[in-house]
Amino acid sequence: MTVWPDTDVPTLTRVWMGDLTWSAALEAESLRLTGDRPSCRALPAWTPPPAR
């Protein structure tokens, strides 16, 4: 499985920190995922929840 995210550092940081959801970033077109559909859909589950 391989997924390539196409985004800028601030967007990826906001997603990683939990300030922006994967779906919101994708809808705003500030994040694009390239790869097979099952892997792209699974990517949000691969990232840890933000430590708050």
Side-chain angles (χ1 to χ4, degrees):
M1 288 190 274
T2 304
V3 177
W4 292 272
D6 182 17
T7 189
D8 55 25
V9 172
T11 299
L12 187 57
T13 301
R14 289 181 64 212
V15 169
W16 185 262
M17 298 300 293
D19 297 329
L20 180 66
T21 64
W22 285 96
S23 58
L26 290 165
E27 288 175 18
E29 297 182 1
S30 57
L31 171 67
R32 186 175 69 214
L33 300 177
T34 304
D36 64 272
R37 183 175 290 235
S39 296
C40 289
R41 288 180 179 253
L43 183 62
W46 299 343
T47 56
R52 301 238 179 212

